[in-house]
PDB file of all heavy atoms in Angstrom:
ATOM      1  N   ARG G1405      -6.402 -20.554  17.559  1.00  0.00           N
ATOM      2  CA  ARG G1405      -5.657 -21.658  16.959  1.00  0.00           C
ATOM      3  C   ARG G1405      -6.190 -22.977  17.516  1.00  0.00           C
ATOM      4  O   ARG G1405      -6.429 -23.070  18.719  1.00  0.00           O
ATOM      5  CB  ARG G1405      -4.165 -21.520  17.272  1.00  0.00           C
ATOM      6  CG  ARG G1405      -3.470 -20.366  16.565  1.00  0.00           C
ATOM      7  CD  ARG G1405      -2.119 -20.111  17.219  1.00  0.00           C
ATOM      8  NE  ARG G1405      -1.333 -19.091  16.550  1.00  0.00           N
ATOM      9  CZ  ARG G1405      -1.447 -17.778  16.750  1.00  0.00           C
ATOM     10  NH1 ARG G1405      -2.358 -17.314  17.585  1.00  0.00           N
ATOM     11  NH2 ARG G1405      -0.652 -16.936  16.118  1.00  0.00           N
ATOM     12  N   ILE G1406      -6.308 -23.968  16.674  1.00  0.00           N
ATOM     13  CA  ILE G1406      -6.844 -25.259  17.108  1.00  0.00           C
ATOM     14  C   ILE G1406      -5.908 -25.921  18.121  1.00  0.00           C
ATOM     15  O   ILE G1406      -6.347 -26.582  19.055  1.00  0.00           O
ATOM     16  CB  ILE G1406      -7.139 -26.157  15.873  1.00  0.00           C
ATOM     17  CG1 ILE G1406      -7.532 -27.575  16.273  1.00  0.00           C
ATOM     18  CG2 ILE G1406      -6.016 -26.232  14.900  1.00  0.00           C
ATOM     19  CD1 ILE G1406      -8.883 -27.681  16.854  1.00  0.00           C
ATOM     20  N   HIS G1408      -2.057 -24.731  20.294  1.00  0.00           N
ATOM     21  CA  HIS G1408      -1.181 -23.587  20.581  1.00  0.00           C
ATOM     22  C   HIS G1408      -1.977 -22.275  20.627  1.00  0.00           C
ATOM     23  O   HIS G1408      -1.488 -21.233  20.173  1.00  0.00           O
ATOM     24  CB  HIS G1408      -0.062 -23.471  19.546  1.00  0.00           C
ATOM     25  CG  HIS G1408       0.882 -24.632  19.533  1.00  0.00           C
ATOM     26  ND1 HIS G1408       2.057 -24.637  20.246  1.00  0.00           N
ATOM     27  CD2 HIS G1408       0.823 -25.837  18.918  1.00  0.00           C
ATOM     28  CE1 HIS G1408       2.681 -25.794  20.038  1.00  0.00           C
ATOM     29  NE2 HIS G1408       1.955 -26.540  19.244  1.00  0.00           N
ATOM     30  N   ARG G1445       6.960 -16.458  18.746  1.00  0.00           N
ATOM     31  CA  ARG G1445       5.767 -16.693  19.582  1.00  0.00           C
ATOM     32  C   ARG G1445       5.924 -17.993  20.367  1.00  0.00           C
ATOM     33  O   ARG G1445       6.252 -19.037  19.808  1.00  0.00           O
ATOM     34  CB  ARG G1445       4.504 -16.758  18.725  1.00  0.00           C
ATOM     35  CG  ARG G1445       3.229 -16.975  19.541  1.00  0.00           C
ATOM     36  CD  ARG G1445       1.976 -16.921  18.671  1.00  0.00           C
ATOM     37  NE  ARG G1445       0.754 -17.112  19.442  1.00  0.00           N
ATOM     38  CZ  ARG G1445       0.189 -18.310  19.676  1.00  0.00           C
ATOM     39  NH1 ARG G1445       0.740 -19.412  19.207  1.00  0.00           N
ATOM     40  NH2 ARG G1445      -0.915 -18.383  20.396  1.00  0.00           N
ATOM     41  N   VAL G1479       9.135 -23.462  13.150  1.00  0.00           N
ATOM     42  CA  VAL G1479       7.991 -23.647  14.059  1.00  0.00           C
ATOM     43  C   VAL G1479       8.265 -24.865  14.942  1.00  0.00           C
ATOM     44  O   VAL G1479       7.947 -25.999  14.581  1.00  0.00           O
ATOM     45  CB  VAL G1479       6.686 -23.829  13.259  1.00  0.00           C
ATOM     46  CG1 VAL G1479       5.484 -23.635  14.177  1.00  0.00           C
ATOM     47  CG2 VAL G1479       6.611 -22.864  12.102  1.00  0.00           C
ATOM     48  N   GLY G1480       8.878 -24.620  16.083  1.00  0.00           N
ATOM     49  CA  GLY G1480       9.335 -25.723  16.919  1.00  0.00           C
ATOM     50  C   GLY G1480       8.650 -25.780  18.268  1.00  0.00           C
ATOM     51  O   GLY G1480       7.673 -25.077  18.533  1.00  0.00           O
ATOM     52  N   ASN G1481       9.169 -26.638  19.108  1.00  0.00           N
ATOM     53  CA  ASN G1481       8.675 -26.823  20.475  1.00  0.00           C
ATOM     54  C   ASN G1481       9.839 -26.729  21.457  1.00  0.00           C
ATOM     55  O   ASN G1481      11.003 -26.688  21.048  1.00  0.00           O
ATOM     56  CB  ASN G1481       8.020 -28.195  20.619  1.00  0.00           C
ATOM     57  CG  ASN G1481       6.578 -28.223  20.108  1.00  0.00           C
ATOM     58  OD1 ASN G1481       5.964 -27.182  19.901  1.00  0.00           O
ATOM     59  ND2 ASN G1481       6.057 -29.414  19.909  1.00  0.00           N
ATOM     60  N   ALA G1491       1.648 -37.854  10.612  1.00  0.00           N
ATOM     61  CA  ALA G1491       0.696 -36.749  10.733  1.00  0.00           C
ATOM     62  C   ALA G1491      -0.751 -37.223  10.815  1.00  0.00           C
ATOM     63  O   ALA G1491      -1.602 -36.554  11.404  1.00  0.00           O
ATOM     64  CB  ALA G1491       0.848 -35.801   9.540  1.00  0.00           C
ATOM     65  N   PHE G1494      -2.356 -36.958  14.194  1.00  0.00           N
ATOM     66  CA  PHE G1494      -2.374 -35.693  14.950  1.00  0.00           C
ATOM     67  C   PHE G1494      -3.772 -35.304  15.435  1.00  0.00           C
ATOM     68  O   PHE G1494      -3.950 -34.979  16.608  1.00  0.00           O
ATOM     69  CB  PHE G1494      -1.749 -34.575  14.108  1.00  0.00           C
ATOM     70  CG  PHE G1494      -1.487 -33.312  14.885  1.00  0.00           C
ATOM     71  CD1 PHE G1494      -0.571 -33.291  15.924  1.00  0.00           C
ATOM     72  CD2 PHE G1494      -2.162 -32.138  14.582  1.00  0.00           C
ATOM     73  CE1 PHE G1494      -0.334 -32.124  16.643  1.00  0.00           C
ATOM     74  CE2 PHE G1494      -1.930 -30.966  15.295  1.00  0.00           C
ATOM     75  CZ  PHE G1494      -1.007 -30.968  16.331  1.00  0.00           C
ATOM     76  N   PHE G1671       2.284 -18.884  11.308  1.00  0.00           N
ATOM     77  CA  PHE G1671       3.569 -19.555  11.076  1.00  0.00           C
ATOM     78  C   PHE G1671       3.351 -20.744  10.153  1.00  0.00           C
ATOM     79  O   PHE G1671       2.400 -21.506  10.327  1.00  0.00           O
ATOM     80  CB  PHE G1671       4.152 -20.031  12.404  1.00  0.00           C
ATOM     81  CG  PHE G1671       4.567 -18.897  13.306  1.00  0.00           C
ATOM     82  CD1 PHE G1671       3.664 -18.323  14.186  1.00  0.00           C
ATOM     83  CD2 PHE G1671       5.857 -18.396  13.268  1.00  0.00           C
ATOM     84  CE1 PHE G1671       4.030 -17.272  15.007  1.00  0.00           C
ATOM     85  CE2 PHE G1671       6.240 -17.350  14.092  1.00  0.00           C
ATOM     86  CZ  PHE G1671       5.331 -16.783  14.962  1.00  0.00           C
ATOM     87  N   LEU G1687       5.717 -36.889   9.719  1.00  0.00           N
ATOM     88  CA  LEU G1687       5.035 -35.916  10.567  1.00  0.00           C
ATOM     89  C   LEU G1687       5.172 -34.536   9.927  1.00  0.00           C
ATOM     90  O   LEU G1687       4.219 -33.787   9.782  1.00  0.00           O
ATOM     91  CB  LEU G1687       5.675 -35.930  11.957  1.00  0.00           C
ATOM     92  CG  LEU G1687       4.921 -35.209  13.050  1.00  0.00           C
ATOM     93  CD1 LEU G1687       3.670 -35.973  13.434  1.00  0.00           C
ATOM     94  CD2 LEU G1687       5.811 -35.054  14.275  1.00  0.00           C
ATOM     95  N   ARG G1691       2.546 -31.617   8.266  1.00  0.00           N
ATOM     96  CA  ARG G1691       2.575 -30.226   8.717  1.00  0.00           C
ATOM     97  C   ARG G1691       2.652 -29.278   7.521  1.00  0.00           C
ATOM     98  O   ARG G1691       2.170 -28.160   7.576  1.00  0.00           O
ATOM     99  CB  ARG G1691       3.768 -29.986   9.642  1.00  0.00           C
ATOM    100  CG  ARG G1691       3.733 -30.797  10.932  1.00  0.00           C
ATOM    101  CD  ARG G1691       4.924 -30.475  11.821  1.00  0.00           C
ATOM    102  NE  ARG G1691       4.823 -29.169  12.414  1.00  0.00           N
ATOM    103  CZ  ARG G1691       5.861 -28.447  12.827  1.00  0.00           C
ATOM    104  NH1 ARG G1691       7.091 -28.906  12.700  1.00  0.00           N
ATOM    105  NH2 ARG G1691       5.685 -27.261  13.352  1.00  0.00           N
ATOM    106  N   SER G1694      -0.881 -28.611   6.736  1.00  0.00           N
ATOM    107  CA  SER G1694      -1.815 -28.158   7.768  1.00  0.00           C
ATOM    108  C   SER G1694      -1.781 -26.661   8.063  1.00  0.00           C
ATOM    109  O   SER G1694      -2.818 -26.030   8.242  1.00  0.00           O
ATOM    110  CB  SER G1694      -1.508 -28.932   9.053  1.00  0.00           C
ATOM    111  OG  SER G1694      -2.313 -28.474  10.094  1.00  0.00           O
ATOM    112  N   TYR G1695      -0.593 -26.087   8.128  1.00  0.00           N
ATOM    113  CA  TYR G1695      -0.509 -24.721   8.644  1.00  0.00           C
ATOM    114  C   TYR G1695      -1.100 -23.701   7.679  1.00  0.00           C
ATOM    115  O   TYR G1695      -1.815 -22.789   8.068  1.00  0.00           O
ATOM    116  CB  TYR G1695       0.945 -24.385   8.987  1.00  0.00           C
ATOM    117  CG  TYR G1695       1.461 -25.158  10.188  1.00  0.00           C
ATOM    118  CD1 TYR G1695       1.571 -26.543  10.155  1.00  0.00           C
ATOM    119  CD2 TYR G1695       1.822 -24.521  11.355  1.00  0.00           C
ATOM    120  CE1 TYR G1695       2.016 -27.257  11.244  1.00  0.00           C
ATOM    121  CE2 TYR G1695       2.282 -25.224  12.460  1.00  0.00           C
ATOM    122  CZ  TYR G1695       2.385 -26.597  12.396  1.00  0.00           C
ATOM    123  OH  TYR G1695       2.829 -27.304  13.478  1.00  0.00           O
ATOM    124  N   GLN G1699      -4.857 -21.484   8.410  1.00  0.00           N
ATOM    125  CA  GLN G1699      -4.961 -20.019   8.388  1.00  0.00           C
ATOM    126  C   GLN G1699      -6.228 -19.575   7.666  1.00  0.00           C
ATOM    127  O   GLN G1699      -6.771 -18.507   7.947  1.00  0.00           O
ATOM    128  CB  GLN G1699      -3.743 -19.364   7.710  1.00  0.00           C
ATOM    129  CG  GLN G1699      -2.388 -19.824   8.208  1.00  0.00           C
ATOM    130  CD  GLN G1699      -2.248 -19.827   9.718  1.00  0.00           C
ATOM    131  OE1 GLN G1699      -2.969 -19.124  10.421  1.00  0.00           O
ATOM    132  NE2 GLN G1699      -1.324 -20.609  10.243  1.00  0.00           N
TER     133      GLN G1699
HETATM  134 FE1  HDE C3080       1.757 -27.797  14.938  1.00  0.00          FE
HETATM  135  N1  HDE C3080       0.087 -26.848  14.325  1.00  0.00           N
HETATM  136  N2  HDE C3080       1.140 -29.506  14.061  1.00  0.00           N
HETATM  137  N3  HDE C3080       3.384 -28.817  15.677  1.00  0.00           N
HETATM  138  N4  HDE C3080       2.402 -26.156  15.855  1.00  0.00           N
HETATM  139  C1  HDE C3080      -0.243 -25.576  14.576  1.00  0.00           C
HETATM  140  O1  HDE C3080      -1.062 -24.079  12.960  1.00  0.00           O
HETATM  141  C2  HDE C3080       0.134 -29.597  13.187  1.00  0.00           C
HETATM  142  C3  HDE C3080       3.686 -30.116  15.442  1.00  0.00           C
HETATM  143  C4  HDE C3080       3.585 -25.961  16.487  1.00  0.00           C
HETATM  144  O2  HDE C3080       2.710 -19.764  17.482  1.00  0.00           O
HETATM  145  C5  HDE C3080      -1.453 -25.124  13.818  1.00  0.00           C
HETATM  146  O3  HDE C3080      -1.188 -21.834  12.773  1.00  0.00           O
HETATM  147  C6  HDE C3080       0.061 -30.917  12.637  1.00  0.00           C
HETATM  148  C7  HDE C3080       5.035 -30.404  15.806  1.00  0.00           C
HETATM  149  C8  HDE C3080       3.648 -24.639  17.038  1.00  0.00           C
HETATM  150  O4  HDE C3080       1.192 -19.693  15.898  1.00  0.00           O
HETATM  151  C9  HDE C3080      -1.836 -26.366  13.002  1.00  0.00           C
HETATM  152  C10 HDE C3080       1.051 -31.635  13.248  1.00  0.00           C
HETATM  153  C11 HDE C3080       5.534 -29.212  16.277  1.00  0.00           C
HETATM  154  C12 HDE C3080       2.448 -24.036  16.687  1.00  0.00           C
HETATM  155  C13 HDE C3080      -0.776 -27.344  13.403  1.00  0.00           C
HETATM  156  C14 HDE C3080       1.730 -30.731  14.137  1.00  0.00           C
HETATM  157  C15 HDE C3080       4.490 -28.244  16.184  1.00  0.00           C
HETATM  158  C16 HDE C3080       1.691 -24.997  15.945  1.00  0.00           C
HETATM  159  C17 HDE C3080      -2.536 -24.492  14.653  1.00  0.00           C
HETATM  160  C18 HDE C3080       1.406 -33.093  13.087  1.00  0.00           C
HETATM  161  C19 HDE C3080       6.937 -28.951  16.842  1.00  0.00           C
HETATM  162  C20 HDE C3080       2.006 -22.634  17.042  1.00  0.00           C
HETATM  163  C21 HDE C3080      -2.455 -23.000  14.384  1.00  0.00           C
HETATM  164  C22 HDE C3080       1.719 -33.469  11.781  1.00  0.00           C
HETATM  165  C23 HDE C3080       7.941 -29.008  15.819  1.00  0.00           C
HETATM  166  C24 HDE C3080       2.503 -21.627  16.064  1.00  0.00           C
HETATM  167  C25 HDE C3080      -1.515 -22.870  13.316  1.00  0.00           C
HETATM  168  C26 HDE C3080       2.107 -20.246  16.506  1.00  0.00           C
HETATM  169  C27 HDE C3080       0.440 -24.741  15.389  1.00  0.00           C
HETATM  170  C28 HDE C3080      -0.721 -28.563  12.860  1.00  0.00           C
HETATM  171  C29 HDE C3080       2.785 -31.142  14.971  1.00  0.00           C
HETATM  172  C30 HDE C3080       4.668 -26.895  16.630  1.00  0.00           C
HETATM  173  C31 HDE C3080      -3.244 -26.888  13.204  1.00  0.00           C
HETATM  174  C32 HDE C3080      -0.950 -31.413  11.619  1.00  0.00           C
HETATM  175  C33 HDE C3080       5.779 -31.728  15.674  1.00  0.00           C
HETATM  176  C34 HDE C3080       4.782 -24.041  17.837  1.00  0.00           C
HETATM  177  O5  HDE C3080      -1.744 -26.115  11.628  1.00  0.00           O
END
Side-chain angles (χ1 to χ4, degrees):
R1405 290 165 176 84
I1406 173 73
H1408 296 266
R1445 181 175 181 270
V1479 195
N1481 278 345
F1494 191 65
F1671 292 88
L1687 193 71
R1691 297 182 72 205
S1694 176
Y1695 291 64
Q1699 310 311 337

